[in-house]
Amino acid sequence: MSIPSEHVDSIVLFEEEDVYDYRPGGYHPVRLGDRFNGRYTVVRKLGYGQHSTVWLALDTRFGRHVALKIITSRCYGGEKEVYELAILQRITSADPRHPGYRHVLGLLDHFVHSGPHGNHVCLVHEVMFRNLHEFSFHFEYRQLPLEMVKEVARQMLKGLDYLHTSCGVIHTDLKPTNILISISGCDLEKEIKYHLGNSYPEVFEPDYLIASEAVHLELPDSPSQFVFKIADFGISSWVDDHLMDLIQPINLRAPEVILGAGWDTSADIWNAGCVIFELLQGRTLFRGRADESLGWSANEDRLALMMDLFGPFPEDLIRQGKKSWKYFDDQGNLSSIRAISNDYSLARVSKLWNPRLSKRDACAFAAFLGPMLKYRPKDRKTADEMLDEAWLQ
């Protein structure tokens, strides 16, 4: 399917999925009112990703709304292997009694839809209202209240413990946009119907280019009324079968991944620690920046920031890394970047970036994150062990 020339101006205004990936192997063109698998009628667009679009659909069999994720046709039986469907099936059935089961977004249904660009695996989930990245903009400087961050941490760690111990799954892509929110006790259908009656979808030309919109609702007063769920397993791996070597959002990437030293479930723990920091501080902990004039890469800057807080890297971890030669000299010093400062600590940075924290809270927060942000994967605590930390009690 080619893009007609008369639609070029409209396409320029469309800032979501890549419009030129509406082609064989790419996205399926979805229009409002389309029905899938004989029962799911599309009413709004909820979001998109590099390999999928997500839609609000009415399940006419049960008279309820669901989230319908339609994956690009290249992902199954094409050029890009993914484990998402099999992982979701494991998550949905492994152990519903586990405390972390309700903090991972499972699967309601799945099917294959044949379209003009190929066959698309379609996943059906419960409707969630928004993600933590969007939610953070409700707060000044995008800094969530301390008790809210603790609640997110508790629920995310329960979800990770379920994934790691009951499902044998490593998420590999934890970030605020992949933590979804719903409200305990909320009348979901009432809220959705109100939203549909009071919002108007923005449709471009061609008419399968549609703006995403979230279902909004009144937020509760107590953090305990929020339900947070880990979502999006598009690049997740099995504990004993890795999909790829290079994982994680670049600014949240664990040191062993940067160095090519091998990774396991503890990579998710590093990710979780970075996410928790970002939610309380409103900024990324290790956001690397390249400087071509001085000759260092973003990864080198990121490693330097880690060393500013935690000191030199262990020699054994450097030796294990297949890519360590890119960043370190024979003495374990970074090859191209500044000398490491000893003036910083996690507690000091936490207080500096969030002045509303008391010194005591900043120290307690840093003490909590410390076991998650150890250089060596084997030195990090597990999700279950982290749930016993004093900061969460």
Side-chain angles (χ1 to χ4, degrees):
M1 178 182 295
S2 60
I3 305 294
S5 59
E6 63 267 24
H7 297 326
V8 170
D9 290 342
S10 181
I11 289 170
V12 170
L13 299 174
F14 187 73
E15 298 179 343
E16 300 198 12
E17 69 269 17
D18 180 3
V19 298
Y20 295 102
D21 202 22
Y22 279 94
R23 56 184 174 83
Y27 297 111
H28 175 67
V30 179
R31 296 169 175 85
L32 298 178
D34 283 356
R35 178 169 289 200
F36 290 84
N37 205 33
R39 60 186 281 195
Y40 301 110
T41 301
V42 170
V43 294
R44 291 289 193 278
K45 183 180 178 185
L46 293 174
Y48 66 97
Q50 185 178 356
H51 302 294
S52 64
T53 53
V54 184
W55 303 85
L56 180 65
L58 176 64
D59 180 355
T60 56
R61 179 177 297 178
F62 293 110
R64 65 183 181 186
H65 288 86
V66 296
L68 174 64
K69 182 175 182 177
I70 304 175
I71 300 174
T72 55
S73 59
R74 71 175 65 91
C75 286
Y76 287 89
E79 63 196 49
K80 177 177 167 51
E81 183 181 16
V82 291
Y83 301 155
E84 184 170 17
L85 177 56
I87 283 174
L88 283 169
Q89 290 173 315
R90 172 76 63 84
I91 288 168
T92 303
S93 62
D95 184 7
R97 296 171 297 178
H98 190 287
Y101 181 84
R102 71 188 298 256
H103 301 298
V104 179
L105 189 65
L107 192 64
L108 298 177
D109 189 14
H110 71 278
F111 56 92
V112 176
H113 179 79
S114 182
H117 299 155
N119 293 325
H120 303 262
V121 169
C122 300
L123 309 174
V124 181
H125 302 282
E126 65 177 292
V127 178
M128 304 292 285
F129 288 109
R130 65 192 74 187
N131 62 57
L132 275 177
H133 174 72
E134 297 164 341
F135 183 60
S136 69
F137 287 95
H138 286 274
F139 303 94
E140 188 176 17
Y141 306 119
R142 295 185 52 233
Q143 296 171 339
L144 273 63
L146 184 62
E147 290 305 317
M148 178 72 73
V149 176
K150 289 184 180 185
E151 192 61 43
V152 174
R154 288 186 197 99
Q155 297 188 29
M156 180 165 54
L157 288 167
K158 288 178 182 179
L160 285 178
D161 181 52
Y162 176 62
L163 290 176
H164 295 166
T165 61
S166 296
C167 305
V169 168
I170 310 173
H171 188 279
T172 77
D173 194 29
L174 282 177
K175 54 187 175 182
T177 53
N178 285 342
I179 309 294
L180 304 185
I181 305 170
S182 67
I183 307 299
S184 179
C186 174
D187 186 337
L188 179 65
E189 286 303 317
K190 179 180 177 182
E191 296 291 347
I192 290 175
K193 288 173 183 176
Y194 178 82
H195 172 77
L196 294 177
N198 292 274
S199 70
Y200 301 93
E202 186 177 9
V203 181
F204 295 78
E205 291 292 342
D207 58 358
Y208 53 80
L209 300 181
I210 302 170
S212 302
E213 53 185 285
V215 178
H216 297 284
L217 73 162
E218 186 175 344
L219 300 178
D221 296 326
S222 171
S224 63
Q225 291 179 264
F226 287 84
V227 180
F228 302 101
K229 298 198 179 193
I230 299 169
D232 198 343
F233 294 85
I235 58 172
S236 294
S237 289
W238 300 107
V239 168
D240 56 2
D241 185 9
H242 292 179
L243 180 65
M244 61 185 74
D245 293 326
L246 190 60
I247 58 169
Q248 302 179 307
I250 186 167
N251 285 319
L252 309 181
R253 192 165 283 163
E256 67 270 23
V257 179
I258 296 175
L259 300 181
W263 49 270
D264 55 24
T265 55
S266 61
D268 277 349
I269 302 301
W270 177 280
N271 252 187
C274 291
V275 168
I276 293 165
F277 181 92
E278 183 175 338
L279 296 176
L280 188 63
Q281 300 294 334
R283 62 175 72 190
T284 306
L285 181 54
F286 301 118
R287 185 178 181 182
R289 292 180 174 86
D291 192 318
E292 294 182 4
S293 64
L294 295 175
W296 72 64
S297 66
N299 266 341
E300 221 167 343
D301 189 37
R302 201 166 287 115
L303 294 170
L305 292 171
M306 295 176 191
M307 295 169 74
D308 279 344
L309 291 182
F310 306 132
F313 269 78
E315 292 182 6
D316 57 320
L317 182 59
I318 295 175
R319 286 196 303 270
Q320 291 168 18
K322 298 177 182 178
K323 301 178 183 177
S324 296
W325 62 270
K326 292 183 176 181
Y327 311 112
F328 291 98
D329 61 23
D330 293 338
Q331 287 73 48
N333 299 311
L334 290 169
S335 302
S336 305
I337 205 165
R338 66 188 186 281
I340 300 305
S341 165
N342 294 317
D343 296 335
Y344 295 97
S345 69
L346 197 53
R348 184 183 175 192
V349 167
S350 299
K351 174 66 175 167
L352 181 67
W353 288 355
N354 191 338
R356 289 174 291 185
L357 286 181
S358 68
K359 184 175 180 180
R360 179 179 178 180
D361 282 340
C363 289
F365 179 59
F368 170 74
L369 288 184
M372 305 176 78
L373 299 177
K374 297 291 186 183
Y375 283 140
R376 296 184 184 93
K378 66 180 181 180
D379 292 340
R380 294 173 206 147
K381 288 191 174 183
T382 65
D384 184 54
E385 290 170 337
M386 286 303 304
L387 284 165
D388 291 330
E389 287 290 307
W391 189 72
L392 293 179
Q393 308 313 315

